[in-house]
Amino acid sequence: MSNQRPPTIDPVAAAHWQRVAPAASPWLHEEVGRRMEDRLQWIRLDPKTWVDWEPVRGGLEAHALVERRYPQARTYVYEPHPARSALARQQLARPWWRRWSAAPVQHGDVPDGAAQMLWANMALHMTADPEALLAAWHRALAAEGFLMFSCLGPDTLQELRGVHAALGWPPPAHEFTDMHDWGDMLVQAGFADPVMDMERITLTWENPRRLLEELRGLGANLHPGRFGGLRGRAWRERLERELASVLRDAEGRLALTFEIIYGHAVKPQPRFKVAGESAVSLEDMRAMLRPGSKKSA
């Protein structure tokens, strides 16, 4: 996957979704954030500064959990879209009685090398240029800082894909990248020691209408081969009948599978090859000489 954008994501559709995505934290994203936060108990580094990358879609409740775990850590909130940025400022504002004692929260761009942890919940699978996004995360982290992220995996919506395929319809969603490919891309982006994990979550609904409403809140179909026009009422009724028939589980509810990928990786200290003549930036030299840094050749 080196130097390639995901082949089933339309960049124009992805950019449009980023502009119009609801200013809300879907329930699934909050649940994934809660499970990812629980994994922080195994991380030995106690970050003094951390970044929440697009927390409104990633989960404002999940943000609160991470903040509670690191109460003394300075927080950067990166939310580049105006409506969601305004909501993040409102929802994450400190109560007046905590402004004197709590660590500060800064909204906006993140300075290079500013953070010891970057938290990115359920964002990676919706970007058309994941290599650029991974590079941005790498720049935001300090040496020996770490990345925590989650995203959807390839088994997501397998039942719905089967319905569309059986009816001869275009795919209902773009393809999602396998966790092993994400691990490779992390290494290519300059991260080290990637650890990938996966689990499947089954969500159920009482009827097709509720199911489709919640799917629209979770994301959009970015597949280049998606149906390009408006669907009529007859198509919608046919879809609801098929969903009610094919997706019903033993308890009479409609079930869909979501594969959740969790990733962790470290930004290593810069390595320099010994040559007859070498140029090293002042910042890199400072990083190498900090107490606790590892010398490398």
Side-chain angles (χ1 to χ4, degrees):
M1 295 186 64
S2 177
N3 299 318
Q4 294 183 0
R5 292 181 174 181
T8 67
I9 290 186
D10 178 355
V12 175
H16 177 73
W17 167 252
Q18 290 296 330
R19 291 193 301 271
V20 304
S25 303
W27 178 90
L28 178 62
H29 294 195
E30 293 284 16
E31 175 62 19
V32 172
R34 183 188 66 78
R35 298 183 185 204
M36 187 163 71
E37 189 275 338
D38 187 60
R39 286 167 160 77
L40 289 174
Q41 66 181 301
W42 309 113
I43 305 297
R44 289 180 293 178
L45 178 65
D46 186 13
K48 305 306 179 187
T49 304
W50 69 287
V51 178
D52 196 341
W53 196 273
E54 300 193 25
V56 174
R57 294 295 299 165
L60 294 171
E61 294 175 12
H63 176 98
L65 292 175
V66 179
E67 190 176 66
R68 194 174 306 147
R69 182 177 290 274
Y70 305 123
Q72 301 304 315
R74 179 187 183 93
T75 305
Y76 284 93
V77 173
Y78 179 75
E79 187 59 80
H81 309 286
R84 298 196 290 280
S85 177
L87 181 63
R89 289 175 182 271
Q90 175 188 350
Q91 295 293 317
L92 302 179
R94 305 285 196 196
W96 66 267
W97 48 270
R98 287 193 59 207
R99 292 173 188 169
W100 298 104
S101 59
V105 176
Q106 182 171 328
H107 294 261
D109 293 335
V110 183
D112 290 355
Q116 292 177 300
M117 181 186 78
L118 192 144
W119 172 275
N121 189 38
M122 296 292 275
L124 195 52
H125 59 269
M126 295 299 292
T127 180
D129 194 347
E131 291 183 332
L133 185 55
L134 291 176
W137 292 351
H138 190 271
R139 287 193 301 271
L141 283 169
E144 298 186 353
F146 66 97
L147 168 67
M148 294 287 292
F149 75 91
S150 62
C151 60
L152 294 178
D155 284 347
T156 298
L157 303 179
Q158 58 186 354
E159 301 89 351
L160 183 59
R161 295 180 192 276
V163 169
H164 276 243
L167 295 173
W169 293 348
H174 52 283
E175 301 293 332
F176 300 116
T177 301
D178 182 84
M179 68 177 181
H180 300 99
D181 291 325
W182 285 131
D184 292 341
M185 292 177 70
L186 286 167
V187 173
Q188 293 165 9
F191 288 95
D193 303 323
V195 177
M196 309 301 297
D197 190 16
M198 178 273 286
E199 67 175 338
R200 293 181 179 86
I201 297 177
T202 300
L203 299 187
T204 64
W205 294 266
E206 58 187 6
N207 59 60
R209 184 162 300 180
R210 292 291 300 275
L211 181 153
L212 294 172
E213 287 175 355
E214 189 157 345
L215 287 185
R216 281 195 295 271
L218 290 178
N221 183 359
L222 306 181
H223 200 294
R226 67 194 183 281
F227 186 77
L230 297 176
R231 299 288 199 178
R233 179 180 299 178
W235 178 87
R236 172 64 179 256
E237 293 174 349
R238 174 76 183 281
L239 174 60
E240 290 186 2
R241 288 197 303 271
E242 293 293 334
L243 295 179
S245 172
V246 176
L247 302 186
R248 202 167 298 280
D249 64 12
E251 298 179 355
R253 296 177 63 85
L254 309 183
L256 284 177
T257 299
F258 292 81
E259 179 183 337
I260 310 299
I261 293 173
Y262 301 94
H264 164 76
V266 177
K267 178 177 178 176
Q269 289 284 354
R271 297 179 63 88
F272 301 98
K273 293 181 179 180
V274 175
E277 182 177 345
S278 299
V280 181
S281 71
L282 179 60
E283 183 59 35
D284 286 342
M285 182 63 72
R286 286 173 177 166
M288 294 176 66
L289 296 177
R290 287 192 189 104
S293 66
K294 300 177 181 178
K295 298 180 180 179
S296 57

